[in-house]
Amino acid sequence: RDRSGFAAAPCRPARIEAWRVGGTVATGTEDLVVLTNPGVVPSTVSLGVYGSVRASSTVIVPAESQVALPLTSIAAGSDFPIVKVAATGAPVRAVLQSSLTRTLDPAGIDLQDAVPAAQRQPVLPGIEVFENQGDNADMAVLRLMSPEVDSEAVVRVSEVGTSTIAEELTVPLSADVPTELSLSALAPGSYTMSIESDNPVLAGVRQQDVAGPQDDFAWVTPAPEIEDDVFVAVPPGPDPKLVLVNREDADALVQVTPAAGGEPTEVTVPAGSSASVDLEPRTVYSMSTSTSVHASVTMNGPGELASWPVWPAAGAQQSITVYP
């Protein structure tokens, strides 16, 4: 067996533009940028690579088809590559499919969803930090980039269920240069991360469960604000949880109810804090909240690790004003 681990990603519509924050071209990795065109016309997709080596390429994705590009083919020699995906003709769905092998041992797989755009205040719920007997430097790593302009980002990490800051970092960012920081100072546990920057930034956290064979890894990407009712689909997998972050000034009352029927679970997420709700696999839930929250689903078991953000329904997203 040359692959092991657990991978999951949310269902999302195709987009004209998106960013791939994770990925690596290091030895032992096999990362693929998977482009899917659900439209009825071909899409011309431009991929711009940001990192220690800048590069660009263009690929045609035929209508109603899928193309997979090895990350090494477009980002060879680039440290911490971040890829901008821009489509013309038809929007595409971009997912990063990753796998890792150490010597001959499989060491994890992942599916990373696209980040739609840089943000001034990204929120990343559900970061797992695991205990390791050896070097903890790679157990949890933050990747950041400020597109186009220099910035300074303040990173705050808190344990789930508390507003107390476990670690705070101030990170200077040069324009278009990805940076990685180890979170090795954190004790094992579940955390949330909030970032504040004077300019929009891209962010992602890579988490790894153990540093040996038969382990797994997963990228955590920012979760959007949820204000209206939304459905949360939970696939089969280990120990699913819904992690909620409330950045508002008032407490949030969140209700999570099995869509097929059953008793709802109510949880109060204090202002400026977070909370988690145990979920059941193979279940669809409806979620409602009294004020806006950020939410992610996490799964965690021996050799199985996954995390993905909860997105609002397409009809519930903020309207866009078009000026003549």
Side-chain angles (χ1 to χ4, degrees):
R1 187 175 66 170
D2 59 358
R3 298 288 184 274
S4 72
F6 183 80
C11 295
R12 297 285 295 135
R15 300 182 61 87
I16 293 296
E17 184 176 295
W19 293 83
R20 303 250 43 83
V21 177
T24 177
V25 295
T27 302
T29 60
E30 186 176 335
D31 288 10
L32 300 174
V33 179
V34 182
L35 305 171
T36 304
N37 177 9
V40 296
V41 297
S43 178
T44 301
V45 182
S46 299
L47 300 109
V49 178
Y50 296 77
S52 54
V53 177
R54 291 289 299 269
S56 62
S57 60
T58 302
V59 62
I60 304 296
V61 184
E64 300 178 347
S65 67
Q66 189 176 76
V67 171
L69 299 174
L71 189 60
T72 53
S73 70
I74 59 175
S78 182
D79 296 332
F80 324 138
I82 290 179
V83 181
K84 182 179 182 180
V85 179
T88 56
V92 297
R93 176 82 164 97
V95 174
L96 183 68
Q97 176 182 302
S98 302
S99 64
L100 175 62
T101 303
R102 292 193 180 94
T103 312
L104 298 177
D105 297 319
I109 59 174
D110 187 44
L111 289 173
Q112 187 196 118
D113 192 26
V115 176
Q119 304 171 61
R120 289 182 183 272
Q121 296 180 322
V123 176
L124 292 81
I127 299 168
E128 297 289 338
V129 177
F130 297 89
E131 186 171 2
N132 178 36
Q133 300 302 320
D135 183 8
N136 287 328
D138 295 331
M139 301 303 288
V141 178
L142 168 65
R143 183 176 295 183
L144 281 171
M145 190 184 82
S146 175
E148 298 183 358
V149 294
D150 295 347
S151 293
E152 184 175 87
V154 178
V155 180
R156 297 182 178 92
V157 184
S158 301
E159 196 164 359
V160 173
T162 178
S163 59
T164 303
I165 297 175
E167 185 170 12
E168 181 172 327
L169 304 168
T170 299
V171 186
L173 298 171
S174 299
D176 295 334
V177 179
T179 299
E180 279 199 351
L181 301 169
S182 173
L183 304 176
S184 60
L186 295 173
S190 299
Y191 294 89
T192 66
M193 176 183 290
S194 63
I195 300 171
E196 294 186 3
S197 175
D198 47 2
N199 293 291
V201 296
L202 297 158
V205 171
R206 186 186 187 276
Q207 53 189 9
Q208 181 120 17
D209 56 358
V210 293
Q214 304 300 317
D215 59 357
D216 198 14
F217 67 93
W219 280 89
V220 180
T221 54
E225 284 190 350
I226 303 292
E227 296 180 342
D228 300 298
D229 294 358
V230 66
F231 285 103
V232 180
V234 182
D239 193 24
K241 295 182 184 298
L242 180 68
V243 182
L244 302 160
V245 178
N246 177 11
R247 297 197 63 184
E248 301 299 318
D249 295 330
D251 293 353
L253 179 61
V254 179
Q255 187 175 79
V256 182
T257 308
E263 289 297 320
T265 298
E266 291 189 349
V267 58
T268 298
V269 188
S273 188
S274 60
S276 67
V277 179
D278 292 335
L279 304 176
E280 292 293 329
R282 298 179 180 269
T283 305
V284 176
Y285 294 88
S286 63
M287 187 187 89
S288 61
T289 178
S290 61
T291 188
S292 64
V293 295
H294 303 259
S296 288
V297 177
T298 66
M299 287 185 162
N300 178 14
E304 296 181 307
L305 185 62
S307 175
W308 64 96
V310 175
W311 289 87
Q317 296 185 23
Q318 295 182 350
S319 61
I320 298 175
T321 303
V322 180
Y323 297 95

